[in-house]
Amino acid sequence: MPDAVTTTVTVAARLSIRASRLALAIAAAVLALAGRPLAAEPMPIFDAHLHYNDEATAVHPVPEVLRLFRESGVVAILATSRPNDGSRALVAAAAATPRAAPRVVPFVRPYRNHADRQTWFNDPEIFALIESELRRDVGYRGIGEFHVFGRDADTPWVKRIVALAVERDLWLHAHCDDAALEILFGHNPRVKIVWAHTGFSTPPATIARYLARYPNLMGELSYRYDVTEDGKLAPAWRELFVAHPDRFVVGSDTWVNERWAQYREIMAYYRGWLVQLPPDVASRIAFGNGERLFGTGGNR
Ligand SMILES: [Zn+2]
């Protein structure tokens, strides 16, 4: 029965070809999965709390920090520095080599030196410093980070800075306690505030009340290690992020050089809990919210 044998052989051969095609397809799919952008590239991050202070510029020159941003998947930064030379150096570097740098969103820092941190809120010279810095062609989008607690926020100079921010459509980057936050909004409820560390220890339930009360408030999450418990996203924070996905940003807070040394770990920590959120919530907190608020201007 040669015909039957031929048919059987042909069918077997076809089946075998199909099987090997399937094997090839699976292999290709596996390769494609392994090489897909999501696996190869980390979730982009907008670092919304970065300092490039004078002690950092000496140890970590501009090309080195630009490389650190690239290697950490940080595609935009909210840059501040004491004095403001560091931020301006980052702005200049990003303008000169936009492909090698993140987008830089500079804020005026109201400190010339360490001591100003304790006294800036009562110092007319600091107001003059802010005004003169804003006259530079740097593309400043805000004022901060500054530190202020309790009634220290209730000074004529802070009130003038709040008025200036509202008038010029600038953000404030405030490291403050709950009392000072209320005073800042009391000066002018239209002021826009990035709340550094989201109050540092303010409980999620209280944060939720502030978010409802102050539509121009954004929570920045550096040093909020209570966001996780044993590496898992804490339930109260998950609830807060899912309910308010547009109100949070993340940041490195490189306030001392030790934080520059930990930069990669800090970003890895964020990604560790961001991936536990629904992807759209995670990408907004990681990057989208910063882009929405500061997506125009700067060096791009
Ligand atoms: Zn800071």
Side-chain angles (χ1 to χ4, degrees), residues 44-244:
I45 285 184
F46 190 120
D47 181 345
H49 187 156
L50 184 117
H51 306 292
Y52 192 42
N53 294 331
D54 50 5
E55 63 267 31
T57 56
V59 183
H60 304 290
V62 170
E64 186 192 314
V65 298
L66 296 187
R67 191 171 64 244
L68 192 55
F69 298 141
R70 289 196 301 275
E71 290 173 4
S72 307
V74 168
V75 296
I77 57 173
L78 195 161
T80 88
S81 68
R82 164 193 34 79
N84 286 288
D85 308 58
S87 305
R88 294 199 300 270
L90 291 174
V91 169
T97 56
R99 281 163 176 249
R103 205 165 60 74
V104 179
V105 179
F107 273 38
V108 177
R109 196 151 213 219
Y111 304 161
R112 296 157 298 191
N113 49 49
H114 280 285
D116 282 339
R117 178 172 162 161
Q118 316 297 334
T119 52
W120 69 274
F121 41 85
N122 244 333
D123 187 345
E125 282 185 30
I126 294 298
F127 190 80
L129 163 83
I130 294 168
E131 284 195 310
S132 75
E133 199 62 36
L134 286 173
R135 279 195 289 273
R136 293 176 187 266
D137 184 22
V138 178
Y140 283 116
R141 303 294 303 279
I143 300 162
E145 179 204 22
F146 55 72
H147 302 73
V148 71
F149 301 95
R151 303 303 303 173
D152 284 348
D154 197 11
T155 69
W157 291 108
V158 172
K159 195 168 181 171
R160 282 187 71 171
I161 290 168
V162 168
L164 179 73
V166 172
E167 185 193 311
R168 305 263 191 108
D169 196 25
L170 298 166
W171 283 78
L172 300 182
H173 200 303
H175 179 149
C176 63
D177 57 5
D178 296 22
L181 184 78
E182 305 229 24
I183 292 169
L184 291 172
F185 278 116
H187 289 322
N188 190 327
R190 287 193 297 142
V191 72
K192 299 188 286 189
I193 298 180
V194 176
W195 195 11
H197 321 294
T198 316
F200 223 100
S201 56
T202 306
T206 310
I207 296 166
R209 285 201 294 276
Y210 285 134
L211 293 177
R213 225 167 111 199
Y214 304 120
N216 291 336
L217 177 67
M218 293 292 294
E220 184 276 324
L221 295 162
S222 56
Y223 281 96
R224 289 307 306 239
Y225 295 114
D226 58 328
V227 164
T228 57
E229 290 164 0
D230 296 327
K232 289 189 104 176
L233 196 54
W237 279 101
R238 169 188 291 278
E239 202 179 304
L240 192 61
F241 293 148
V242 170
H244 306 281

Side-chain angles (χ1 to χ4, degrees), residues 12-46:
R14 279 187 189 148
L15 280 173
S16 150
I17 288 166
R18 275 188 200 166
S20 55
R21 277 192 187 144
L22 179 65
L24 277 173
I26 290 171
V30 168
L31 278 173
L33 270 176
R36 67 184 172 157
L38 214 64
E41 285 175 28
M43 184 189 303
I45 285 184
F46 190 120

